[in-house]
Amino acid sequence: MPSNLEKLRNIGIMAHIDAGKTTVTERILYYTGKTYKMGEVHDGTAVMDFMEQEQKRGITITSAATKCPWKDFEINLIDTPGHIDFTAEVERSLRVLDGAVAVFDGSEGVQAQSETVWRQGQKYTLPCLCFVNKMDKVGADFEMTIQSIHDKLVASPVVLQIPIGAEDSFEGIVDLIKMRAIFYKPEKLGAVFEETEIPAELQQTAEQQRRQMVELAAEHDEELMDFYVHDRAIDTEMINRAIRKATLANKLHPVFVGSALKYIGVQRLLDAVVAYLPSPLDKPDIIGLGSGRKPADKKKKISVRCDRTASLVALAFKITSDVHGDLHFLRIYQGTLKAGTRVLDVNRNKKQNITRIFEMHADERKILDSAGAGDIVAVVGLKETLTGDTICDSKHPVCLPSIEFPETVISMSIEPRSGTDAAKLSEALAALRREDPTFESKVDSETGQTIIRGMGELHLEILQHKLTTERKLNVRVGKPRVAYKEAISKLSRAEGRFVRQTGGRGQYGHVVLTIEPLFTEDGHWSRDIEFESQVGSDRVPREYIPAVERGAKDSLNSGVLAGYPAVGVRVTLIDGSFHSVDSSDLAFEQAAAIAVEKAGKQAGPVLLEPVMRLQAIVPEANFGAVQGGLLGKRGLITDCRVHGNMRVIDAKVPLAEMFGYASEIRGVTAGRGTFTMEPLSYEKVPEQIAGQITL
């Protein structure tokens, strides 16, 4: 582990699918000496895309971690997926990183998934650099990309480099801080470059852009502002200091430019990573909660700081199944972890032994004796731990904020083709659930079918492929189905009694409760179920309240209309009664379920469906057909703009209408149209359609 934490950077590469982020990562590995042969996504030889399906499809599916040196710094690097179906990989990676590089396609600017990953990064207040890639591509427009970063991401881009040329004529960059031009030698794979005077035709543009850069940086540094206002000579060190300060505060987002495919600009991006992104010491302390038997212990706030001499605190952010046992990826926030250490999983309240520690390079491993605060490592030995759990010293328990994942929106049935595969399937699904927090599986109590849920058709297709190839299971899957939800639209009150007398001790539980809709600030139904008790212990003893809550939530999980889980409901216990001998947890649980079922029928139950945010890019000639197709799918066009000879359509469309759309848009546009989708919200299903679903 590095002795100087100031020289350590934990960063992620994030982008819209096909913006070139894996190619950027491959160049980084080559230039830092981590690999000696440059991998290519289009050849299926990218080091970080090591899964068979990643190489076959040319996309990143799972986040891959590596560590590489740059000058006298060490960089922990995570390459994240761009496809929305694998958003959990992005979410959990960004949760444990200190900074990020957002890669943009220079011909497309900010795309749909760019907005999603940017929002995820801002949720964790990650300082971020912007890299405008693919400046050699037809339609590359640097100024358009900068404007889209400013407008669509509501970011504060500060341009530190401008391109020399564009499309076929793109050949280098101008460094606005040093005011020098840099030309790369493609025949030397970009490892050799030449610094020269700025070309005369770019001199005026470069001076203007430099003034804007200094002006933006000066807003965040008093000394630089003083020099700028009084027109005094400003050195590069002063500018770098101001930009670093503003970047760490998330006030500015430095912009760099290049073409990873043509070997231009990646080394300067690495220089920027170590110059402007934070070390673990630059990040503020994380506030965790205490852990103990007393309620006061669990409310106690504990500051977790990057100190290798303090007690151990780490977060498990990723799990991969392995023939030798699960491999858990940890970000160590405090203390030092040694192989053979016994640790506490606070969330499970289980003590476990960490037998081995690894430094990862994609799917390769290097054994370590120990790792400390600031490090990202993989360990073996945590049998009970799940994604988002806190690992710590059992003598100093602390629980870090966990990782929240989006809800699944699609489901399908799965069953083994033979009896011998039935037991294996259950075990394999459990392993997939441990690996992927956005994958769910359960047995339908009515049909006996096993139902799997995920983030999209591609997500479930990849998981099915894992079962058949890695687990050697022969399975049959049903057609994809939408994961509907239910909600209520008005307040309702009901009474529930559960009374059984069979001789001897009986069962008695009696509750009166209300249910009402629960909305978020933007007017959508909340994802949560809330429970509150307003009854005195003389009516319902305190020890039965948890049973009432459990019964109410279990009933809502079975639905109030058509058997789909209910969301956005507040349950309030307002009255009840008990029997000193016959009352029990079971009786109150059943009474609450009866009351919720009654109340649900009177509360204006409605069916909700997942609505997706869609962005389609289609040739101008096919715009009318594509737009008409989306409107026919109950779609709502929210924006439409011309980009070159293509039309970009933003829309909201119900997921139920979008199965098989990839084939449809290819057919309409002769293979030239593309689209991306991501979950946006759950909205009420029109009554005529809801009637068909609930029949």
Side-chain angles (χ1 to χ4, degrees):
M1 58 184 178
S3 55
N4 186 355
L5 284 171
E6 291 180 357
K7 301 285 188 181
L8 180 63
R9 300 288 183 270
N10 292 316
I11 68 161
I13 310 288
M14 61 185 194
H16 182 92
I17 189 169
D18 283 340
K21 95 191 108 40
T22 298
T23 304
V24 170
T25 307
E26 292 298 319
R27 301 299 184 258
I28 288 174
L29 295 180
Y30 179 76
Y31 294 134
T32 58
K34 193 70 183 182
T35 57
Y36 300 99
K37 182 176 181 296
M38 219 176 278
E40 300 290 356
V41 174
H42 53 269
D43 292 337
T45 57
V47 174
M48 302 297 268
D49 285 351
F50 56 84
M51 286 174 57
E52 179 196 338
Q53 285 292 295
E54 292 178 315
Q55 294 167 356
K56 180 180 175 183
R57 296 169 186 267
I59 61 170
T60 301
I61 292 169
T62 180
S63 53
T66 189
K67 178 177 278 190
C68 48
W70 181 247
K71 300 185 176 174
D72 57 344
F73 288 79
E74 282 193 336
I75 300 172
N76 276 320
L77 179 68
I78 295 183
D79 175 28
T80 63
H83 200 289
I84 187 60
D85 282 17
F86 310 106
T87 187
E89 291 288 336
V90 183
E91 187 78 36
R92 59 183 171 192
S93 298
L94 297 181
R95 167 69 173 79
V96 299
L97 293 170
D98 299 327
V101 176
V103 179
F104 300 94
D105 184 325
S107 69
E108 303 289 350
V110 172
Q111 296 166 276
Q113 187 63 9
S114 312
E115 296 182 52
T116 304
V117 295
W118 187 271
R119 279 199 309 273
Q120 287 173 302
Q122 292 307 297
K123 183 166 76 174
Y124 299 119
T125 60
L126 281 187
C128 197
L129 307 182
C130 303
F131 183 65
V132 180
N133 191 30
K134 298 193 176 184
M135 280 304 299
D136 59 313
K137 187 178 170 184
V138 174
D141 187 336
F142 182 68
E143 290 175 3
M144 174 277 295
T145 302
I146 300 304
Q147 193 61 46
S148 69
I149 291 171
H150 182 275
D151 295 345
K152 292 187 180 179
L153 303 182
V154 197
S156 303
V158 53
V159 176
L160 304 193
Q161 297 173 348
I162 57 173
I164 300 173
E167 301 183 347
D168 289 342
S169 64
F170 179 59
E171 55 183 341
I173 57 180
V174 173
D175 183 331
L176 297 177
I177 295 180
K178 294 182 178 179
M179 287 301 279
R180 299 284 287 172
I182 302 132
F183 294 92
Y184 291 81
K185 307 285 186 184
E187 66 276 9
K188 300 289 186 182
L189 300 181
V192 176
F193 51 86
E194 179 186 3
E195 282 196 19
T196 68
E197 295 294 326
I198 298 172
E201 66 273 17
L202 281 175
Q203 187 69 41
Q204 187 177 348
T205 303
E207 288 173 0
Q208 181 185 350
Q209 290 280 6
R210 180 183 163 87
R211 279 195 299 274
Q212 288 182 10
M213 174 193 73
V214 173
E215 191 176 316
L216 283 168
E219 292 176 8
H220 305 282
D221 187 275
E222 290 182 10
E223 184 184 10
L224 181 58
M225 178 62 83
D226 184 58
F227 273 59
Y228 177 69
V229 168
H230 293 97
D231 205 20
R232 294 159 65 186
I234 297 170
D235 60 30
T236 59
E237 187 180 332
M238 194 181 295
I239 296 173
N240 281 327
R241 188 180 65 242
I243 291 173
R244 176 175 172 78
K245 179 181 174 184
T247 304
L248 295 186
N250 232 343
K251 299 289 179 61
L252 287 180
H253 305 101
V255 178
F256 302 86
V257 65
S259 166
L261 191 63
K262 300 295 184 186
Y263 321 109
I264 297 176
V266 177
Q267 295 99 318
R268 297 292 163 138
L269 179 63
L270 280 166
D271 288 340
V273 164
V274 300
Y276 305 126
L277 290 182
S279 75
L281 295 175
D282 293 317
K283 298 292 285 184
D285 292 357
I286 297 175
I287 304 302
L289 296 176
S291 177
R293 293 180 181 176
K294 299 176 183 176
D297 292 338
K298 295 180 180 178
K299 293 181 180 179
K300 182 182 176 185
K301 293 183 178 179
I302 298 173
S303 186
V304 177
R305 65 192 185 283
C306 188
D307 178 358
R308 291 185 167 176
T309 63
S311 58
L312 175 70
V313 182
L315 187 79
F317 69 94
K318 178 179 168 71
I319 305 169
T320 58
S321 290
D322 188 82
V323 288
H324 304 298
D326 287 348
L327 196 64
H328 287 73
F329 286 74
L330 302 181
R331 163 67 194 263
I332 304 175
Y333 285 101
Q334 180 178 284
T336 298
L337 176 65
K338 295 180 180 177
T341 304
R342 191 163 177 78
V343 296
L344 172 69
D345 181 331
V346 175
N347 303 76
R348 313 286 140 212
N349 195 25
K350 298 274 187 181
K351 290 184 181 179
Q352 302 168 85
N353 291 323
I354 289 183
T355 54
R356 284 191 169 184
I357 305 172
F358 299 105
E359 178 186 302
M360 299 299 292
H361 173 50
D363 58 343
E364 298 172 12
R365 308 173 187 180
K366 174 185 170 186
I367 297 177
L368 302 175
D369 293 326
S370 64
D375 284 336
I376 294 175
V377 294
V379 301
V380 173
L382 299 174
K383 292 183 171 57
E384 309 277 347
T385 298
L386 298 178
T387 300
D389 286 1
T390 303
I391 303 299
C392 63
D393 185 335
S394 57
K395 293 178 183 176
H396 302 93
V398 56
C399 188
L400 296 175
S402 192
I403 309 173
E404 292 185 4
F405 296 102
E407 288 187 78
T408 56
V409 295
I410 188 172
S411 67
M412 60 172 63
S413 62
I414 187 168
E415 57 187 44
R417 289 184 183 271
S418 66
T420 55
D421 284 333
K424 290 181 185 176
L425 177 61
S426 177
E427 186 182 313
L429 293 176
L432 289 179
R433 285 198 304 272
R434 289 197 303 275
E435 284 188 20
D436 187 346
T438 57
F439 171 70
E440 299 171 8
S441 69
K442 69 172 188 177
V443 176
D444 188 307
S445 56
E446 292 183 9
T447 64
Q449 279 186 315
T450 299
I451 306 295
I452 58 176
R453 298 177 183 271
M455 297 304 299
E457 288 181 271
L458 179 60
H459 186 203
L460 292 183
E461 189 182 325
I462 295 294
L463 293 173
Q464 181 191 346
H465 185 269
K466 276 189 174 186
L467 291 173
T468 54
T469 56
E470 295 177 17
R471 302 273 174 175
K472 309 297 183 200
L473 286 171
N474 195 359
V475 294
R476 180 169 48 239
V477 296
K479 289 184 178 179
R481 297 185 298 182
V482 174
Y484 291 102
K485 303 281 186 189
E486 296 179 13
I488 56 174
S489 56
K490 60 185 180 182
L491 177 72
S492 175
R493 180 180 184 276
E495 182 177 26
R497 288 180 183 272
F498 184 77
V499 182
R500 296 288 185 274
Q501 201 67 48
T502 54
R505 183 176 174 178
Q507 295 283 355
Y508 182 91
H510 169 226
V511 299
V512 181
L513 49 77
T514 62
I515 61 173
E516 60 185 307
L518 189 63
F519 296 103
T520 59
E521 290 180 1
D522 58 2
H524 290 107
W525 273 276
S526 167
R527 287 171 49 179
D528 301 324
I529 302 289
E530 291 185 1
F531 176 84
E532 181 186 2
S533 173
Q534 295 181 355
V535 72
S537 56
D538 59 323
R539 305 298 297 168
V540 178
R542 200 168 295 166
E543 64 264 29
Y544 296 132
I545 300 298
V548 175
E549 179 176 0
R550 194 163 53 246
K553 288 184 175 178
D554 284 351
S555 179
L556 287 169
N557 199 42
S558 300
V560 292
L561 180 66
Y564 297 104
V567 295
V569 180
R570 178 183 283 116
V571 181
T572 307
L573 177 62
I574 58 173
D575 199 4
S577 63
F578 71 103
H579 189 281
S580 57
V581 176
D582 291 350
S583 285
S584 66
D585 280 352
L586 174 64
F588 274 99
E589 205 173 301
Q590 293 296 321
I594 292 166
V596 165
E597 189 177 347
K598 283 184 187 175
K601 291 174 181 175
Q602 304 160 18
V606 294
L607 193 65
L608 305 180
E609 64 180 343
V611 173
M612 312 298 281
R613 178 190 281 118
L614 175 138
Q615 184 176 85
I617 302 174
V618 300
E620 184 70 49
N622 306 121
F623 166 65
V626 173
Q627 183 186 42
L630 290 173
L631 293 174
K633 294 178 182 296
R634 298 191 281 132
L636 174 67
I637 309 296
T638 57
D639 189 25
C640 187
R641 56 197 177 277
V642 176
H643 180 57
N645 59 352
M646 304 292 277
R647 189 70 77 106
V648 180
I649 306 168
D650 290 321
K652 289 167 42 177
V653 194
L655 175 63
E657 306 284 349
M658 296 306 291
F659 292 132
Y661 189 64
S663 300
E664 185 178 323
I665 196 171
R666 278 198 298 268
V668 171
T669 63
R672 295 178 62 203
T674 61
F675 78 100
T676 55
M677 277 196 315
E678 63 170 326
L680 176 62
S681 61
Y682 268 86
E683 295 183 11
K684 184 179 175 183
V685 179
E687 286 184 15
Q688 66 273 22
I689 296 173
Q692 297 169 15
I693 296 168
T694 56
L695 284 176

Short mmCIF file of all heavy atoms in Angstrom, two decimals, residues 83 129 204 266 329 371 392-393 405 600 631 685 693:
data_model
loop_
_atom_site.label_atom_id
_atom_site.label_comp_id
_atom_site.label_asym_id
_atom_site.label_seq_id
_atom_site.Cartn_x
_atom_site.Cartn_y
_atom_site.Cartn_z
N HIS A 83 -24.14 1.24 -20.18
CA HIS A 83 -25.52 0.83 -20.47
C HIS A 83 -26.37 0.91 -19.21
O HIS A 83 -25.96 0.46 -18.15
CB HIS A 83 -25.54 -0.60 -21.02
CG HIS A 83 -26.79 -0.93 -21.77
ND1 HIS A 83 -28.00 -1.09 -21.13
CD2 HIS A 83 -27.04 -1.10 -23.09
CE1 HIS A 83 -28.93 -1.37 -22.03
NE2 HIS A 83 -28.37 -1.38 -23.22
N LEU A 129 -13.63 15.63 -13.73
CA LEU A 129 -13.01 16.19 -14.92
C LEU A 129 -13.83 15.76 -16.14
O LEU A 129 -14.46 14.70 -16.12
CB LEU A 129 -11.57 15.67 -15.10
CG LEU A 129 -10.60 15.80 -13.94
CD1 LEU A 129 -9.22 15.27 -14.35
CD2 LEU A 129 -10.49 17.24 -13.47
N GLN A 204 -5.37 33.77 -31.55
CA GLN A 204 -6.38 34.66 -30.99
C GLN A 204 -7.43 33.89 -30.19
O GLN A 204 -7.82 34.31 -29.09
CB GLN A 204 -7.06 35.44 -32.13
CG GLN A 204 -8.01 36.53 -31.63
CD GLN A 204 -8.60 37.33 -32.77
OE1 GLN A 204 -8.15 37.23 -33.91
NE2 GLN A 204 -9.63 38.13 -32.48
N VAL A 266 -4.43 11.62 -23.90
CA VAL A 266 -4.65 10.81 -22.70
C VAL A 266 -3.61 11.09 -21.62
O VAL A 266 -3.92 11.13 -20.43
CB VAL A 266 -4.69 9.30 -23.06
CG1 VAL A 266 -4.85 8.45 -21.81
CG2 VAL A 266 -5.84 9.02 -24.02
N PHE A 329 -15.19 -6.85 -2.86
CA PHE A 329 -14.39 -5.65 -3.08
C PHE A 329 -14.68 -4.67 -1.94
O PHE A 329 -15.84 -4.38 -1.65
CB PHE A 329 -14.75 -5.00 -4.42
CG PHE A 329 -14.21 -5.75 -5.61
CD1 PHE A 329 -14.78 -6.95 -6.02
CD2 PHE A 329 -13.11 -5.27 -6.31
CE1 PHE A 329 -14.29 -7.64 -7.12
CE2 PHE A 329 -12.61 -5.96 -7.41
CZ PHE A 329 -13.20 -7.15 -7.81
N ALA A 371 -3.65 -3.83 3.72
CA ALA A 371 -4.11 -2.67 2.97
C ALA A 371 -4.62 -1.65 3.98
O ALA A 371 -5.06 -2.02 5.07
CB ALA A 371 -5.22 -3.05 1.99
N CYS A 392 -15.85 -3.67 10.01
CA CYS A 392 -15.09 -2.84 10.95
C CYS A 392 -14.49 -3.69 12.08
O CYS A 392 -14.72 -4.90 12.17
CB CYS A 392 -15.97 -1.74 11.53
SG CYS A 392 -17.35 -2.35 12.50
N ASP A 393 -13.74 -3.02 12.92
CA ASP A 393 -13.18 -3.62 14.13
C ASP A 393 -14.32 -3.89 15.10
O ASP A 393 -15.12 -3.00 15.39
CB ASP A 393 -12.17 -2.62 14.73
CG ASP A 393 -11.44 -3.19 15.93
OD1 ASP A 393 -11.98 -4.10 16.59
OD2 ASP A 393 -10.33 -2.72 16.23
N PHE A 405 -30.02 1.40 -4.48
CA PHE A 405 -30.10 0.99 -5.88
C PHE A 405 -31.50 1.22 -6.41
O PHE A 405 -32.48 1.17 -5.66
CB PHE A 405 -29.72 -0.49 -6.02
CG PHE A 405 -28.30 -0.77 -5.63
CD1 PHE A 405 -28.00 -1.34 -4.40
CD2 PHE A 405 -27.25 -0.45 -6.48
CE1 PHE A 405 -26.68 -1.60 -4.04
CE2 PHE A 405 -25.94 -0.69 -6.13
CZ PHE A 405 -25.66 -1.27 -4.90
N GLY A 600 -57.60 -1.22 1.78
CA GLY A 600 -57.07 -1.06 0.42
C GLY A 600 -58.16 -1.02 -0.62
O GLY A 600 -58.08 -0.25 -1.59
N LEU A 631 -45.41 7.80 -30.51
CA LEU A 631 -46.73 8.30 -30.09
C LEU A 631 -47.74 7.16 -30.03
O LEU A 631 -48.62 7.14 -29.16
CB LEU A 631 -47.21 9.40 -31.06
CG LEU A 631 -46.38 10.70 -31.04
CD1 LEU A 631 -46.85 11.64 -32.14
CD2 LEU A 631 -46.48 11.38 -29.68
N VAL A 685 -51.42 3.79 -14.70
CA VAL A 685 -51.80 3.16 -15.97
C VAL A 685 -53.19 3.66 -16.36
O VAL A 685 -54.09 3.71 -15.51
CB VAL A 685 -51.83 1.61 -15.82
CG1 VAL A 685 -52.24 0.95 -17.12
CG2 VAL A 685 -50.48 1.10 -15.36
N ILE A 693 -55.07 -5.52 -17.64
CA ILE A 693 -53.98 -6.12 -16.87
C ILE A 693 -54.50 -6.83 -15.64
O ILE A 693 -54.02 -7.90 -15.26
CB ILE A 693 -52.96 -5.03 -16.45
CG1 ILE A 693 -52.31 -4.42 -17.71
CG2 ILE A 693 -51.89 -5.59 -15.53
CD1 ILE A 693 -51.51 -3.17 -17.43
#
